[in-house]
Amino acid sequence: MTIRRLEQIIHSVATSDGAGVSLRRSLGQSPSTRVDPFLMLDEFSTDDPDDYIAGFPPHPHRGFETVTYMLDGHMLHEDHLGNRGDLLPGGAQWMTAGRGIIHSEMPQQESGRMRGFQLWINLPAAEKMKPAHYRDIRPEEIPHAALPGGGEVRVIAGGIVIAGREVAGPVQGLSIEALYIDVRLPAGGDFTQVLPDGHSAFVYAYEASLSIGPAGDSRRLAAQDAGVLSTGESVEIHADDGSASFLLLAARPLREPVVQYGPFVMNSREEIEQAIADYRDNRLV
Ligand code: FE2
């Protein structure tokens, strides 16, 4: 079995988005830091309300999916379809913008910790103009499984096998066959996962550093960095010094042209101009 190597490290950068939410962006800080079909990954993590209180007031999207996964804090999602979703610790939302959605995500707390992730996943050309869809995933819908050597894994999308038992996440049946898991390892702990050879994959270390790759050829991934994996049939991840937490994502690459203008991600400039005109003329959604 070919073990994937840590091929490229994307250091996250501090930035802000929405009405002034402080965050760290790894994937998506430039076109060369995308991992097809993953367009962007932001981590927001702060105890300071000034970093999050302004939230994300109403704004549009077209052509891709946004996935928000919360570790701490409380946000409220509202969109033009009339959906209201309470984002609570351990919960997620999977929003398919498709041809267009207008939504807001606003903090429902004035103090305390806010921590979580927003991931943007591209849609295939054939699905970019499908109707928008919103799914609120409550914390209890995300299965937790203990790892044999200590630690645990939470499965948000796709499925894995732990100690002979299949653990399936709430999000299934995507055409890109996405896997989205959150893994917590004790100091010195190990995690091995089989991944389809042709799928793109990356790891985001959000708590402590990791060593990734086969014995004798592993590389260190520091906290708040994303590590892009080579092709191969499995990945081996080791928690270095302290207990470590990381996201592991994999999916079938689309291999289609990507043209992005802010919150619109299409395949050509003409389609982007159409999206801008549709939004201006209230025809986006
Ligand atoms: Fe958004």
Side-chain angles (χ1 to χ4, degrees), residues 16-138:
S16 78
D17 211 337
V21 178
S22 298
L23 46 85
R24 294 201 70 88
R25 179 161 297 160
S26 48
L27 270 65
Q29 55 189 265
S30 66
S32 64
T33 54
R34 297 178 184 132
V35 182
D36 181 21
F38 302 107
L39 298 165
M40 191 185 86
L41 179 68
D42 287 344
E43 176 183 3
F44 44 94
S45 175
T46 177
D47 296 313
D48 181 355
D50 287 345
D51 287 339
Y52 60 73
I53 205 75
F56 299 88
H59 60 277
H61 293 289
R62 174 179 279 183
F64 61 104
E65 308 194 80
T66 73
V67 183
T68 308
Y69 173 47
M70 295 290 282
L71 299 178
D72 295 294
H74 182 187
M75 299 259 267
L76 175 68
H77 160 102
E78 291 181 285
D79 63 41
H80 79 278
L81 299 168
N83 293 304
R84 278 173 68 90
D86 260 322
L87 271 157
L88 295 167
Q93 65 169 28
W94 200 288
M95 191 182 81
T96 306
R99 66 158 289 126
I101 198 161
I102 295 172
H103 77 142
S104 63
E105 286 157 306
M106 298 303 288
Q108 301 298 297
Q109 62 190 45
E110 288 171 2
S111 63
R113 190 163 175 71
M114 180 77 77
R115 189 168 198 192
F117 308 94
Q118 185 166 101
L119 174 75
W120 287 14
I121 309 177
N122 207 1
L123 280 169
E127 296 179 39
K128 281 187 178 291
M129 294 299 278
K130 71 182 184 183
H133 182 258
Y134 174 78
R135 176 159 179 205
D136 194 30
I137 301 164
R138 297 184 313 280

